[in-house]
């Protein structure tokens, strides 16, 4: 008799965005005449920047000739992309990285989900709450969650609540934890941490020999000064942090798939005998065994993001989404909602009406305004009573969604 990984049974319902998709499909089937505006999953309205398209076309042509055809590439990514990343994303901010500290991948979802494999099962995991559900779900699947608890979380996970009361700034854990997931600019709250606040986490990790898993997928949306774009801007972070970046939201790659993870060689974990082991070595071993790299064509497309033309086009794209963010933010504020985020991030986080629970608010918005958002509770217990809207829609849809919310909810 084959047995299953019973940890999967501890996860309630489906993956958050699949569950939303299921409810929307059912609503559409029951109301085929309505046009639904989806500001739920953070999927870009597209299209890809022209520089990316041209570069990918060229790469496709190269694949047509024996002299320029590429088969398997390096599992860690091609140098042409890695070197551009180092130059533009890091050296420009005074951060020095070696090429073998960057791992190109097909998405930050996979990387933030897979990274836990290289850590011991006994590690205590701390996460800010609410947060991108992949971090908790993958640790629960691996067996680090323990049982589900009455509060809607898991008993072995240390939740660090972020809410309006603490201005969405997480407190350091009271107990010693091994792994710390931080996501800034934050998905879902759209809030950020200052350098001084982030420094506290780096210091904590150094004192406790913990590792910070820093998801910076939304760094390109930062507008204000003094907000760190990379955790490596903080002194000492090179010894304790792994950073995740993505082309998905920055350059419209949600369907094209390209991202990268930075694992500095100085970041270590420990054996039971307290021997330090480089995590770069372990991640490299994991990737070379389980991953065959991102396609040449896609990596050529990603590299075009760093050309002057690509940079200009990407900036325009980000400005477009951030204008959407202000439309949503200002529209909701005028309606009297309590609103957060949307200034340095493409996510707007709001308190639901009259203390309504977040799934009830989801159903109400879908029924009365035909607008899809994401219920805060799907991001963790502290997300209950909140709701997320994304700025990644088309402009007209975004404007119409705000009108519909105002009229549908009679605000
Ligand atoms: C989100 O909506 O939170 C993201 O689009 C999900 C993802 O990036 O996987």
């Amino acid at each position: 008799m084959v047995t299953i990984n019973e940890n999967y049974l501890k996860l309630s319902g489906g993956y958050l965005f699949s569950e939303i998709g299921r409810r929307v499909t059912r609503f559409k089937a029951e109301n085929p005449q309505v046009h639904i505006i989806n500001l739920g999953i953070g999927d870009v309205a597209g299209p890809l920047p022209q520089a990316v398209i041209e570069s990918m076309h060229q790469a496709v042509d190269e694949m047509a000739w024996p002299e320029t055809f590429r088969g398997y590439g390096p599992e860690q990514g091609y140098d042409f992309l890695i070197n551009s990343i180092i130059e533009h994303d890091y050296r420009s901010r005074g951060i020095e990285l070696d090429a073998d500290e960057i791992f190109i991948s097909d998405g930050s979802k996979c990387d933030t989900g897979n990274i836990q494999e290289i850590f011991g099962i006994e590690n205590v995991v701390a996460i800010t709450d609410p947060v991108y559900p992949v971090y908790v779900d993958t640790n629960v699947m691996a067996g680090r969650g323990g049982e589900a608890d009455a509060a809607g979380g898991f008993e072995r996970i240390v939740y660090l609540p972020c809410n309006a009361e603490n201005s969405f700034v997480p407190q350091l854990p009271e107990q010693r934890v091994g792994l710390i997931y931080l996501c800034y600019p934050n998905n879902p709250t759209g809030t950020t941490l200052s350098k001084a606040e982030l420094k506290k986490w780096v210091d904590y990790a150094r004192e406790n020999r913990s590792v910070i898993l820093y998801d910076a997928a939304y760094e390109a949306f930062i507008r204000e000064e003094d907000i760190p774009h990379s955790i490596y801007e903080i002194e000492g972070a090179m010894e304790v942090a792994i950073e995740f970046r993505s082309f998905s939201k920055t350059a419209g790659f949600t369907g094209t798939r390209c991202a990268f993870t930075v694992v500095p060689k100085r970041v270590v974990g420990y054996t039971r005998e307290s021997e330090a082991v480089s995590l770069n070595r372990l991640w490299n071993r994991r990737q070379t065994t389980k991953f065959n790299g991102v396609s040449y064509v896609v990596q050529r497309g990603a590299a075009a993001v760093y050309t002057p033309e690509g940079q200009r086009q990407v900036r325009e794209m980000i400005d477009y989404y951030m204008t959407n963010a202000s439309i949503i933010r200002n529209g909701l504020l005028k309606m009297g909602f309590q609103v957060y985020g949307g200034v340095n991030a493409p996510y707007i986080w709001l308190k639901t009406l009259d203390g309504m629970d977040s799934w009830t608010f989801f159903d109400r918005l879908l029924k009365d305004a035909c607008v899809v958002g994401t219920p805060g509770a799907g991001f963790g217990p502290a997300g209950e009573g909140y709701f997320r809207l994304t700025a990644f829609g088309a402009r007209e849809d975004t404007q119409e969604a705000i009108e519909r919310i105002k009229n549908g909810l009679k605000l």
Side-chain angles (χ1 to χ4, degrees), residues 395-410:
R395 176 67 41 79
E396 314 74 65
D397 282 353
T398 304
Q399 284 162 332
E400 195 183 328
I402 292 302
E403 278 307 300
R404 286 192 192 179
I405 294 173
K406 193 166 85 192
N407 300 333
L409 302 187
K410 303 193 175 44

Side-chain angles (χ1 to χ4, degrees), residues 100-119:
D100 58 1
E101 294 179 307
I102 309 264
F103 295 83
I104 309 294
S105 77
D106 58 352
S108 282
K109 180 181 187 177
C110 326
D111 284 357
T112 55
N114 291 329
I115 195 80
Q116 48 77 29
E117 281 184 26
I118 64 171
F119 296 97

Side-chain angles (χ1 to χ4, degrees), residues 101-320:
E101 294 179 307
I102 309 264
F103 295 83
I104 309 294
S105 77
D106 58 352
S108 282
K109 180 181 187 177
C110 326
D111 284 357
T112 55
N114 291 329
I115 195 80
Q116 48 77 29
E117 281 184 26
I118 64 171
F119 296 97
I121 206 72
E122 59 287 338
N123 279 297
V124 174
V125 174
I127 52 135
T128 57
D129 172 24
V131 86
Y132 186 40
V134 169
Y135 317 148
V136 171
D137 286 8
T138 53
N139 275 290
V140 169
M141 288 170 178
R144 275 185 215 93
E147 296 304 320
D149 62 25
F154 289 88
E155 59 185 8
R156 280 199 65 223
I157 305 264
V158 174
Y159 290 85
L160 309 165
C162 298
N163 47 37
E165 289 67 46
N166 62 14
S167 307
F168 299 94
V169 176
Q171 295 297 298
L172 293 172
E174 280 159 16
Q175 66 273 62
R176 224 170 151 158
V177 299
L179 284 173
I180 302 160
Y181 286 83
L182 296 179
C183 171
Y184 289 100
N186 186 257
N187 178 11
T189 65
T191 57
T192 51
L193 284 189
S194 67
K195 285 187 182 161
E197 284 151 1
L198 191 52
K199 171 108 177 41
K200 290 186 199 157
W201 288 93
V202 171
D203 291 346
Y204 172 95
R206 292 176 83 187
E207 275 155 31
N208 291 283
R209 299 204 277 182
S210 321
V211 166
I212 299 174
L213 302 170
Y214 194 73
D215 186 349
Y218 300 94
E219 67 77 32
F221 295 85
I222 294 173
R223 295 290 162 112
E224 294 179 322
E225 297 294 316
D226 194 44
I227 309 284
H229 286 248
S230 165
I231 194 166
Y232 305 122
E233 288 174 50
I234 311 298
E235 197 195 329
M238 248 346 155
E239 292 153 35
V240 290
I242 291 176
E243 179 163 291
F244 304 90
R245 293 273 189 107
S246 172
F247 294 97
S248 281
K249 315 297 160 82
T250 313
F253 272 58
T254 49
T256 306
R257 313 303 304 150
C258 197
F260 60 94
T261 292
V262 183
V263 191
K265 280 175 282 198
R266 276 186 275 159
V267 185
V268 294
Y270 297 87
T271 63
R272 289 207 180 84
E273 288 71 40
S274 300
E275 184 203 337
V277 177
S278 160
L279 296 182
N280 179 288
R281 187 181 118 201
L282 299 191
W283 186 242
N284 190 48
R285 185 69 172 87
R286 192 262 171 214
Q287 290 298 81
T288 48
T289 304
K290 296 195 179 184
F291 184 58
N292 253 339
V294 176
S295 80
Y296 174 70
V297 174
V298 168
Q299 290 191 64
R300 275 291 176 204
V305 166
Y306 296 105
T307 60
E309 203 45 18
Q311 288 284 286
R312 193 182 57 70
Q313 292 164 2
V314 162
R315 257 196 310 271
E316 263 171 27
M317 188 183 251
I318 290 169
D319 286 348
Y320 178 91

Side-chain angles (χ1 to χ4, degrees), residues 7-16 19 137 140 148 152 154:
N7 293 317
Y8 276 66
L9 304 181
K10 295 174 182 160
L11 293 163
S12 64
Y15 177 61
L16 174 61
E19 175 61 24
D137 286 8
V140 169
F154 289 88

